[in-house]
Amino acid sequence: MSILCYHSVARGWDDPVSVEPDDFDQQCAALSRSTDVVPLPAVVDRLAAGGSVPRGQTVLTFDDGFADYVEHAVPIMEKHGLTATMYIVAGSITDSGVEVNWITGLDAAKAPPLMTREQIVELHQRGWDIGSHTMAHRDLPTLSEAECLADLTESRELLSDLLGAAVTTLAYPFGHHAPHVRRAAEQAGYACAVALPDAPEEAGPFSVPRTGIYRGNPMWKFRVKTSGWYAGVRTSPLYRLVGS
């Protein structure tokens, strides 16, 4: 199956992580015609029950919690009958909040605001899945295992308390992880964690590979990226030889 990673769907934010709404609409239309888009928790539950990874299906995920998710992405997905998991930087729901300082693209100063607590709760109540993207979007492999465990536990508990339901999946900031990070994720109570590999790495419950969708990806490239074989090739030594 294919797990896609988006960040922002906004008009005029000229940054690699931001997809134009018209392009996202076209991508969602293509997905609705060619595949079943399923919620990530359903896949996790199936695997926990001893099932196999479903073939020919797609999961949509969004990182960071930008407010344009509510304005643009959700209405477009609803139009096409699709669903997604949004990964929230949990520090954004605390009184002190977090600064969006992890965007390093072309136009970082124009990054949209993050979703409010009220928007996150409303999405959850409408059936949209919410996961954790840590407390403050720090690069987890640079932290100690104890620091990772504290961060991942706090973010999961904060979001679970806000939603009144268990948050069970995690997206690593920048897609980065390491053995001590994966151990901390499991110890913190997550059922799985999703990554964003750009080099060969072994997949597992706490290193689930995703494929990033970025600004300006033409439809032919989008179709390649959503092919079932792409994630495996993307993380193989062969990909490094032939390039992107």
Side-chain angles (χ1 to χ4, degrees), residues 136-219:
H137 208 285
R138 299 170 70 187
D139 194 7
L140 294 178
T142 69
L143 306 181
S144 70
E145 186 166 344
E147 289 172 324
C148 289
L149 179 58
D151 180 297
L152 299 180
T153 300
E154 184 179 10
S155 61
R156 186 183 63 78
E157 291 178 349
L158 270 173
L159 290 168
S160 296
D161 289 345
L162 175 69
L163 302 176
V167 167
T168 60
T169 67
L170 165 73
Y172 299 122
F174 312 106
H176 297 168
H177 58 94
H180 73 280
V181 176
R182 297 192 294 273
R183 288 194 300 268
E186 184 172 14
Q187 293 167 12
Y190 295 94
C192 79
V194 294
L196 195 56
D198 57 7
E201 65 176 46
E202 184 177 351
F206 295 94
S207 56
V208 178
R210 296 181 295 170
T211 298
I213 306 297
Y214 300 108
R215 187 176 189 82
N217 283 169
M219 280 305 296

Side-chain angles (χ1 to χ4, degrees), residues 69-83:
Y69 183 71
V70 177
E71 181 179 1
H72 297 300
V74 167
I76 291 170
M77 286 186 285
E78 287 179 330
K79 169 185 169 182
H80 294 285
L82 309 182
T83 190

Side-chain angles (χ1 to χ4, degrees), residues 70 92-93 114-126 162-163:
V70 177
S92 67
I93 68 171
L114 300 178
M115 284 192 288
T116 65
R117 295 168 60 97
E118 292 74 22
Q119 287 174 318
I120 296 167
V121 170
E122 184 199 10
L123 281 174
H124 170 73
Q125 291 174 343
R126 288 167 53 191
L162 175 69
L163 302 176

Side-chain angles (χ1 to χ4, degrees), residues 40 61-65 85-89 131-133 169-171 194:
L40 182 59
T61 65
F62 284 75
D63 287 4
D64 297 341
T85 295
M86 166 55 79
Y87 287 103
I88 300 292
V89 180
S132 168
H133 203 34
T169 67
L170 165 73
V194 294

Side-chain angles (χ1 to χ4, degrees), residues 6 19-28 215-217 219:
Y6 288 89
V19 175
E20 286 286 333
D22 291 346
D23 292 338
F24 184 64
D25 191 3
Q26 188 178 8
Q27 292 167 3
C28 286
R215 187 176 189 82
N217 283 169
M219 280 305 296

